[in-house]
Amino acid sequence: MLARSDVLTKPNKAMRKAMAEAEVGDDVFREDPTILKIETKVAEMFGMESALFVPSGTMGNLISIMAHCCNRGEEIILGDQSHLFLFEQGGYAQVAGVHPMPVVNRKDGTFSIDEMKRKIRPIDDPHQPITRVISLEDTHNACGGRVLPLAFIEEVSAVAKKHDLVLHMDGARLMNACYALGCPPGDITRHCDSVSMCLSKV
């Protein structure tokens, strides 16, 4: 077994056969029935209005953040050990001009709600970035694959709603959290405004 990454698996013969026989179409014109089925199924699983199939989790996170942050100089609050903060080439800053505001991750992947509240910018100071998004990661890669408690997600969501902020879930390994908690994805994502999930890690 290779333990250096969870994305080194290769499709078996049955998977290759299914890919070869899949009904396809032009996805630009929304005419690929297989992609449409995947997007519909995932949206239903996560309790979201719709879903979009993209080539990578990094792209999924970037698109989500850009959908919420319409202006350069807006800000995302996220854990200092989150994949979004440590990796993904800082795409939200490079491409979208979104400023990161890190909070200290605990060993279990959570962070202090009080610290998060202190990091929310005042809305009446034109010299500061505007806080738009709070981002969580479940399961938490850099914290040993820890599963976020549902109560923590709910508490973060309540603060986000109170301050008119958006809650994004980097759920690259979300299905692992579902398995660990014994719950469907919607129980985890029902407090989130957007979520990314990687099929390569399922």
Side-chain angles (χ1 to χ4, degrees):
M1 182 179 103
L2 293 173
R4 64 190 166 108
S5 175
D6 58 358
V7 295
L8 297 177
T9 54
K10 296 178 181 178
N12 59 30
K13 287 182 180 179
M15 293 167 72
R16 289 183 183 276
K17 184 174 186 292
M19 285 186 266
E21 296 177 357
E23 189 178 356
V24 297
D26 192 319
D27 190 41
V28 172
F29 292 103
R30 307 300 290 150
E31 295 172 354
D32 188 313
T34 302
I35 295 298
L36 293 174
K37 284 179 186 176
I38 290 171
E39 291 175 345
T40 300
K41 183 173 181 64
V42 169
E44 290 172 353
M45 287 171 56
F46 292 170
M48 295 290 165
E49 181 180 338
S50 60
L52 180 66
F53 180 76
V54 296
S56 72
T58 296
M59 184 180 285
N61 280 329
L62 179 59
I63 290 171
S64 296
I65 293 166
M66 289 182 73
H68 301 311
C69 296
C70 299
N71 299 299
R72 298 180 70 81
E74 294 181 336
E75 192 167 71
I76 179 171
I77 296 175
L78 71 177
D80 69 343
Q81 296 301 305
S82 67
H83 199 274
L84 261 171
F85 185 67
L86 295 177
F87 305 107
E88 305 190 24
Q89 296 185 338
Y92 49 83
Q94 284 194 60
V95 178
V98 175
H99 185 265
M101 174 58 80
V103 291
V104 177
N105 273 120
R106 296 170 175 149
K107 291 182 179 179
D108 65 355
T110 66
F111 46 71
S112 163
I113 299 293
D114 288 336
E115 182 187 1
M116 180 190 74
K117 289 178 182 176
R118 290 194 302 271
K119 297 291 177 81
I120 297 171
R121 302 279 189 163
I123 59 174
D124 58 352
D125 186 347
H127 301 95
Q128 297 190 41
I130 299 169
T131 308
R132 286 283 184 233
V133 180
I134 300 171
S135 181
L136 301 176
E137 182 178 338
D138 199 11
T139 59
H140 202 293
N141 185 18
C143 293
R146 303 290 181 164
V147 177
L148 297 182
L150 293 177
F152 172 74
I153 298 171
E154 188 170 357
E155 192 173 0
V156 172
S157 172
V159 174
K161 284 181 173 61
K162 181 178 178 182
H163 293 274
D164 198 25
L165 305 177
V166 171
L167 180 58
H168 172 66
M169 173 65 75
D170 177 357
R173 297 166 176 85
L174 187 74
M175 302 313 283
N176 294 339
C178 295
Y179 180 81
L181 294 172
C183 70
D187 286 0
I188 298 174
T189 60
R190 65 191 176 100
H191 297 292
C192 302
D193 299 289
S194 60
V195 58
S196 65
M197 186 270 288
C198 291
L199 293 174
S200 63
K201 298 180 177 74
V202 173

